[in-house]
Amino acid sequence: MFETFDDIRADIAARLGQAAADRKSPLHTLVVATADADARVMVLRAFDADAWTLRFHTDVRSPKCHVIGAGSPVGVLGYDRDAKVQLRLRGRGRIETDTPLVQQAWEESNNYARRCYLGDGPGALSDAPTSGLPDWAEGIQPTDEQVMPARENFAILLVELDSLDWFHLAHDGHVRAQFVRDGSSWAARWVAP
């Protein structure tokens, strides 16, 4: 049982760190909602525990990039079924396309992942079922040279968290805690589930 706010905040940070590093973590794929009430599942690529920032990869042509832009509210939801812990996170999102962090994320990706940014942009209409990839890129790992044009479509979504809601479901009584960023510290409170 988590009895202090420090324990719970440490639990949140540990879960997010694990989720970014482990594809099998139940929080590796999170629901990300934008200010236009649109939501989608995204892969958590990194968590900076010092800055409380989440990093996701995205296509700059995606509608969410226009909604978020240089700064917009973003909600993030995850649930660890085995631990019975739900995280509801809120913060300010921003899209970056041409920063050292974006270049680093691009370089850390393999060519299978990079090829996703080669084809039609997200939401492009098609007369038939499609991956959106060019025909020549289907089922192969392209070369570095072949994926180079995809770089202009690659972006990252950074979400700097300013609100954390931790909810633990338990047979003997649910427990819920909330945290709100206050400068460099966090104000915490217990709330009824």
Side-chain angles (χ1 to χ4, degrees):
M1 180 63 182
F2 298 92
E3 296 184 9
T4 70
F5 293 128
D6 288 341
D7 290 342
I8 293 171
R9 208 161 54 86
D11 180 66
I12 295 169
R15 287 181 192 285
L16 293 173
Q18 171 82 21
D22 181 2
R23 326 172 46 149
K24 294 183 180 180
S25 165
L27 299 176
H28 186 61
T29 52
L30 298 167
V31 176
V32 177
T34 46
D36 60 350
D38 197 6
R40 77 279 297 143
V41 174
M42 295 183 75
V43 174
L44 179 61
R45 302 296 181 170
F47 170 64
D48 180 336
D50 293 328
W52 283 87
T53 301
L54 308 173
R55 187 186 86 209
F56 303 91
H57 296 176
T58 190
D59 191 311
V60 73
R61 300 167 293 173
S62 171
K64 72 178 162 293
C65 291
H66 301 289
V67 173
I68 297 169
S72 179
V74 172
V76 179
L77 173 67
Y79 182 64
D80 182 333
R81 186 174 78 172
D82 292 339
K84 297 182 179 173
V85 171
Q86 172 185 270
L87 297 180
R88 293 190 315 174
L89 313 170
R90 293 182 183 177
R92 264 245 27 107
R94 74 178 181 275
I95 301 296
E96 292 188 1
T97 59
D98 193 22
T99 65
L101 187 57
V102 178
Q103 188 59 33
Q104 177 186 339
W106 176 257
E107 290 170 4
E108 290 172 354
S109 298
N110 64 36
N111 285 348
Y112 275 117
R114 291 175 183 166
R115 77 180 176 152
C116 295
Y117 303 94
L118 280 171
D120 299 329
L125 297 177
S126 175
D127 293 333
T130 180
S131 68
L133 291 173
D135 290 340
W136 64 264
E138 292 279 356
I140 67 161
Q141 179 169 326
T143 65
D144 290 346
E145 186 177 324
Q146 288 172 314
V147 295
M148 192 56 68
R151 174 58 183 87
E152 70 184 50
N153 299 323
F154 180 76
I156 61 173
L157 162 59
L158 294 174
V159 181
E160 185 177 345
L161 300 174
D162 55 30
S163 168
L164 316 171
D165 188 310
W166 180 92
F167 184 10
H168 181 254
L169 289 89
H171 239 39
D172 55 350
H174 307 318
V175 179
R176 185 174 174 201
Q178 294 178 333
F179 301 83
V180 176
R181 188 178 258 178
D182 182 17
S184 61
S185 63
W186 291 88
R189 63 185 180 194
W190 299 108
V191 294

